[in-house]
Amino acid sequence: MNDFDKYIKSEVAKEQTDIPDSVKNRIEQTLVDLPEKKPVKKQIRILPRIAASAACFVFIILFLLPNVSVTYAQALEQLPVIGDLVRVVTIRNYYYDDNHWKMDINIPQIESEDSKSVDYINKNVSELTTALINRFYEDLEINGNKGYGSLNVDYEVVTNTDSWFTLKLTVCQTAASSNTYFKFYHIDKNQGKIVELGDLFNTDKFSDSLVAEIKKQMQEQMANDENISYWINTSGIGEEFATVSADHNFYWNENGDLVIIFDKYEVGPGSMGTPEFVIDKGVIRDILKSEFKDVIS
């Protein structure tokens, strides 16, 4: 389990926090003082929901009254189906900006005939984003104009074929420092079930093979570029990279190779960003379950 999952699970376990009264009062007063046809420095901005349909919402209306408007509902109906069984739509956008604190969150929803797997993912995405939004408002209430911070959440459909679907959720947070986290969701359409990394292999020792290949690539990169640094064979510089968990982030690239992706600071200093390592299918073919040997073709 990566740091993002640990953080989110701890946040979701807490009692959900409402928007602080001071923040509500600040927003309400801003709307009351809003002059006609003149911009106000602090306000909840109206954003385009879908560029093609020009459907717009005010952030506070979305947050307190999360109902879909008629115009927006019509716009959603016009979106094309992605693949045979799955499509993804943006059901809500949260936006806040007071020149000190900024939040921009796009919340996806998956629509599919396979309701069980899809319902699980949608529920999980809702829990993650709710925890992040609550934390943002807690930080805003505590620090106010004394500090700066931002939260950005967006998503991408990485893969959507006849046999496989992958949704990528990206979270970027900035306060005293910046962090970037990922959450990948996978559906095996042939079996109609959610798949995690450990499910791909026929052995519990899959991590040993992945770690050996990733460390090999890390060492090659460091040998070729003195600016590249990973936490392997270190002396207390960072937490030694030693394992890949069964729920670690991954995706299949267009060549059918497995890609292991790490969060910022997970296997190296911040300067390394969010490194990815391509595991050639030939390296892991012997330990892949038969149903996943040609998942992307």
Side-chain angles (χ1 to χ4, degrees):
M1 183 181 299
N2 60 33
D3 293 339
F4 182 42
D5 284 339
K6 292 178 182 177
Y7 162 71
I8 289 300
K9 287 183 182 297
S10 66
E11 289 297 317
V12 171
K14 299 177 182 178
E15 182 178 358
Q16 292 188 355
T17 305
D18 293 332
I19 301 176
D21 289 338
S22 62
V23 176
K24 292 181 182 178
N25 294 337
R26 189 185 312 166
I27 294 171
E28 291 172 358
Q29 188 60 48
T30 297
L31 294 177
V32 169
D33 296 338
L34 184 63
E36 294 184 3
K37 300 182 180 180
K38 293 182 180 180
V40 175
K41 186 176 182 180
K42 288 188 178 183
Q43 61 179 318
I44 304 304
R45 300 180 183 177
I46 300 177
L47 295 178
R49 298 294 294 119
I50 301 173
S53 63
C56 299
F57 290 101
V58 177
F59 164 76
I60 191 59
I61 299 295
L62 280 175
F63 198 92
L64 298 180
L65 301 173
N67 296 318
V68 180
S69 71
V70 174
T71 302
Y72 182 52
Q74 292 174 345
L76 292 185
E77 289 303 317
Q78 295 172 3
L79 289 175
V81 173
I82 305 175
D84 294 333
L85 297 174
V86 180
R87 72 174 183 175
V88 180
V89 296
T90 301
I91 60 167
R92 201 165 296 123
N93 170 267
Y94 297 120
Y95 188 94
Y96 177 88
D97 189 355
D98 65 5
N99 294 324
H100 281 261
W101 296 87
K102 182 176 181 179
M103 174 173 64
D104 191 358
I105 298 179
N106 291 313
I107 300 180
Q109 178 169 291
I110 305 173
E111 298 180 354
S112 170
E113 297 174 3
D114 176 24
S115 60
K116 187 175 181 180
S117 298
V118 166
D119 288 348
Y120 171 84
I121 295 176
N122 288 337
K123 181 177 183 294
N124 193 257
V125 169
S126 177
E127 289 176 345
L128 301 188
T129 51
T130 297
L132 290 166
I133 291 169
N134 288 342
R135 179 60 181 271
F136 174 87
Y137 276 108
E138 289 172 4
D139 291 342
L140 173 62
E141 176 70 4
I142 293 171
N143 298 295
N145 294 335
K146 297 179 182 178
Y148 293 85
S150 66
L151 170 64
N152 181 276
V153 181
D154 210 345
Y155 68 92
E156 173 189 359
V157 177
V158 177
T159 306
N160 198 1
T161 67
D162 291 341
S163 60
W164 193 267
F165 171 82
T166 294
L167 177 70
K168 173 185 178 182
L169 198 68
T170 302
V171 178
C172 298
Q173 292 177 300
T174 302
S177 61
S178 63
N179 285 295
T180 301
Y181 308 97
F182 301 107
K183 180 68 176 178
F184 285 77
Y185 300 93
H186 310 279
I187 297 177
D188 179 354
K189 294 183 181 180
N190 292 327
Q191 301 182 67
K193 68 177 184 179
I194 294 172
V195 178
E196 293 187 334
L197 181 63
D199 299 324
L200 302 177
F201 302 99
N202 55 29
T203 173
D204 293 335
K205 296 183 179 180
F206 69 90
S207 178
D208 296 341
S209 299
L210 295 180
V211 169
E213 176 62 22
I214 292 171
K215 281 189 173 183
K216 176 184 175 183
Q217 294 185 30
M218 287 178 170
Q219 291 167 343
E220 290 174 350
Q221 291 180 28
M222 290 189 294
N224 293 327
D225 189 340
E226 62 181 9
N227 295 316
I228 292 179
S229 175
Y230 294 108
W231 290 329
I232 55 175
N233 303 323
T234 60
S235 300
I237 299 175
E239 185 176 351
E240 178 83 9
F241 167 57
T243 187
V244 175
S245 64
D247 61 352
H248 193 90
N249 285 322
F250 78 94
Y251 66 92
W252 301 101
N253 67 16
E254 59 184 8
N255 295 323
D257 296 322
L258 186 69
V259 181
I260 303 296
I261 182 169
F262 293 93
D263 295 338
K264 193 174 181 180
Y265 302 109
E266 193 172 2
V267 293
S271 60
M272 295 309 300
T274 57
E276 300 185 11
F277 298 89
V278 178
I279 313 298
D280 187 277
K281 49 193 169 188
V283 173
I284 55 175
R285 180 168 290 277
D286 290 342
I287 61 173
L288 274 177
K289 292 180 181 177
S290 58
E291 60 265 35
F292 300 121
K293 289 186 177 180
D294 296 302
V295 67
I296 304 296
S297 57

